[in-house]
Amino acid sequence: MVHIFLDAATGLEVQRIRWATSPDGEPAEIVLPVGDYRTVNGLLLPHRVGAATRTYQVNVEIADARFQQPGRQSERDFAAQKVAGAVAQLL
């Protein structure tokens, strides 16, 4: 379970509290302050959550190849290979 605390004036998240089991089996409360909000491409995002510092990339180009299953051809390469095979059979 996670409790999220919001600033009443801004509506921004200011703290998260979650519970976990410690290595010795005891319940442990983990408190993560959230802050250092900055605007990134029009979005107001927290750059600090707990002790971690975050960075963001918004709307970056992602190559189609990143979405291919390993070892599979892209649709374009597959289609080109089929067309080349069909042309070779016709000639």
Side-chain angles (χ1 to χ4, degrees), residues 37-90:
Y37 282 88
R38 294 183 232 154
T39 302
V40 178
N41 286 2
L43 300 171
L44 192 57
L45 301 168
H47 283 71
R48 183 163 298 281
V49 177
T53 302
R54 296 189 178 213
T55 58
Y56 299 92
Q57 294 181 344
V58 179
N59 293 330
V60 295
E61 280 292 320
I62 299 175
D64 288 340
R66 295 276 311 261
F67 297 98
Q68 297 295 321
Q69 290 182 357
R72 292 189 91 187
Q73 288 180 307
S74 70
E75 287 182 36
R76 176 180 286 155
D77 292 342
F78 179 77
Q81 184 180 22
K82 289 293 184 184
V83 167
V87 168
Q89 285 181 351
L90 290 173

